[in-house]
């Protein structure tokens, strides 16, 4: 409701700049432009407060047309913020600070200054992680806005760099979260490697009896292998492994007689016949 947006806008203004009182006209202008999006309302209020002193005498600051415009206008005023925010947006919503340091290639002191600036600007905030000190975007929309400012080729390269950094320098992180590595490899257009990590994620989920999660990861592995197959890469063995693991997860989830299990088993049988590896059916047919 409009009164709630007005209260939100005034609260943000007071928190950001104590003693600041927005006029009713200013509050209404911000509320109208935010399109009932509370995050955008906060962003526009911050933008208004930061740009108002720079506006010509007697003129109000021009409000950006989108959340992305608002974010980038704020990042452009930070000496080391824009590049770091873009890299962070590719890593994810939350992440260990050490991973951001490694991927950015910046000196630790320089990276820390950039992180402090982004936290001060309300883009990032402290987060919790078992892998050391972490930060995260204050809202997913901010991550998306920073991500969309990158060219596609730059995103692809960054996803590959993040995957390589995780596997090469943060093995515990990569082994604990293979699905994260798989996600970055998929976005880096490296489907065979992505498929392998999706399968690892599926096996780990199955060991925890999280069969729905396991099935989701294994289906992504099969999708990645399909992409590799279109590129002329032989994927028969890897697909059979993924499909037998998927069939096992579906049996545990739905029971042997379920339609989804029969459908997957038929595909396994086709691959077994093609590859002449009938022994691979035994674990699926005999209770373990």
């Amino acid at each position: 409701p409009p009164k709630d947006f007005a209260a939100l806008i005034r609260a943000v203004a007071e928190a950001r700049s104590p003693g600041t009182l927005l006029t009713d006209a200013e509050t209404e202008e911000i509320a109208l432009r935010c399109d009932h999006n509370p995050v955008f309302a906060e962003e526009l209020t911050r933008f208004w407060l930061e740009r108002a002193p720079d506006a010509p005498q007697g003129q109000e600051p021009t409000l950006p047309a989108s959340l992305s415009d608002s974010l980038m206008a704020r990042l452009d005023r930070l000496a080391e913020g824009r590049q770091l925010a873009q890299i962070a947006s590719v890593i994810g919503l939350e992440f260990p600070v050490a991973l951001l340091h490694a991927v950015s290639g910046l000196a630790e002191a320089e990276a820390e200054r950039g992180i402090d600036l982004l936290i001060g600007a309300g883009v990032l905030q402290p987060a919790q992680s078992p892998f050391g000190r972490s930060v995260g975007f204050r809202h997913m929309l901010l991550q998306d806005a920073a991500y969309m400012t990158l060219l596609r080729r730059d995103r692809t390269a960054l996803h590959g760099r993040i995957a390589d950094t995780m596997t090469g320098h943060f093995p515990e992180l990569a082994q604990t979260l293979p699905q994260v590595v798989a996600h970055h490899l998929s976005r880096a257009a490296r489907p065979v490697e992505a498929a392998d990590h999706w399968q690892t994620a599926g096996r780990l989920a199955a060991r925890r009896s999280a069969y729905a999660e396991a099935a989701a990861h294994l289906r992504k592995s099969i999708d990645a292998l399909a992409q590799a197959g279109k590129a002329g890469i032989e994927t028969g063995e890897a697909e059979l492994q993924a499909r037998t693991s998927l069939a096992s997860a579906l049996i545990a989830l739905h029971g042997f007689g379920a339609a989804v299990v029969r459908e997957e088993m038929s595909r396994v049988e086709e691959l077994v016949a093609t590859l002449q590896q009938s022994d691979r059916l035994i674990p699926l047919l005999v209770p373990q």
Side-chain angles (χ1 to χ4, degrees):
K3 62 182 181 62
D4 292 339
F5 268 94
L8 170 66
I9 291 165
R10 291 193 175 96
V12 172
E14 174 64 24
R16 186 69 179 171
S17 181
T20 298
L21 295 176
L22 296 178
T23 67
D24 290 341
E26 292 171 337
T27 303
E28 183 179 358
E29 174 68 14
I30 295 171
L32 286 172
R33 293 292 295 276
C34 72
D35 194 28
H36 291 280
N37 184 323
V39 176
F40 197 12
E42 291 185 46
E43 290 301 308
L44 288 183
T45 304
R46 291 170 181 268
F47 182 91
W48 187 284
L49 294 173
E50 292 172 7
R51 295 301 295 269
D54 301 329
Q57 186 68 26
Q59 294 186 21
E60 296 178 344
T62 302
L63 289 173
S66 68
L67 180 60
S68 178
D69 291 342
S70 175
L71 174 65
M72 294 316 302
R74 188 138 42 92
L75 293 179
D76 285 342
R77 297 196 294 278
L78 301 179
E80 294 141 341
R82 179 180 177 126
Q83 180 187 7
L84 209 58
Q86 290 172 321
I87 294 172
S89 73
V90 181
I91 296 176
L93 187 62
E94 294 183 355
F95 43 84
V97 168
L99 179 58
L100 179 57
H101 287 176
V103 174
S104 71
L106 299 173
E108 184 174 346
E110 185 179 357
E112 286 293 336
R113 282 196 303 272
I115 291 171
D116 289 341
L117 285 169
L118 290 169
I119 291 175
V123 177
L124 297 180
Q125 63 185 3
Q128 300 293 326
S129 169
F131 301 102
R133 186 169 73 91
S134 299
V135 294
F137 283 89
R138 193 168 53 82
H139 195 281
M140 188 181 294
L141 290 175
L142 294 174
Q143 179 197 3
D144 290 344
Y147 188 83
M148 294 306 295
T149 63
L150 287 163
L151 296 175
R152 180 175 296 180
R153 65 170 182 270
D154 294 333
R155 293 181 211 161
T156 301
L158 274 171
H159 279 295
R161 192 194 312 171
I162 292 164
D164 292 338
T165 300
M166 288 180 67
T167 55
H169 301 285
F170 299 90
E172 183 183 0
L173 183 63
Q175 291 165 12
T176 305
L177 300 170
Q179 67 272 23
V180 175
V181 180
H183 162 76
H184 289 298
L185 288 169
S186 295
R187 294 295 182 92
R190 291 158 60 178
V192 175
E193 296 169 85
D196 183 58
H197 282 83
W198 283 124
Q199 286 198 42
T200 300
R203 289 193 294 269
L204 288 178
R207 288 175 194 166
R208 302 193 308 271
S209 299
Y211 297 114
E213 181 182 341
H217 292 326
L218 291 165
R219 285 191 174 105
K220 288 180 180 178
S221 177
I222 293 168
D223 290 343
L225 290 170
Q227 292 178 13
K230 291 176 182 178
I233 300 172
E234 178 55 48
T235 61
E237 282 285 346
E239 183 181 353
L240 179 57
Q241 179 62 54
R243 289 198 178 278
T244 53
S245 296
L246 175 58
S248 294
L250 292 174
I251 290 169
L253 195 60
H254 301 290
F256 198 87
V260 67
V261 173
R262 293 197 300 270
E263 181 181 352
E264 192 57 45
M265 284 293 292
S266 68
R267 292 172 181 169
V268 171
E269 291 168 0
E270 290 173 3
L271 276 171
V272 163
T274 300
L275 298 172
Q276 299 182 344
Q277 295 186 15
S278 57
D279 58 311
R280 300 285 284 275
L281 283 172
I282 295 175
L284 297 175
L285 300 174
V286 180
Q288 300 297 308

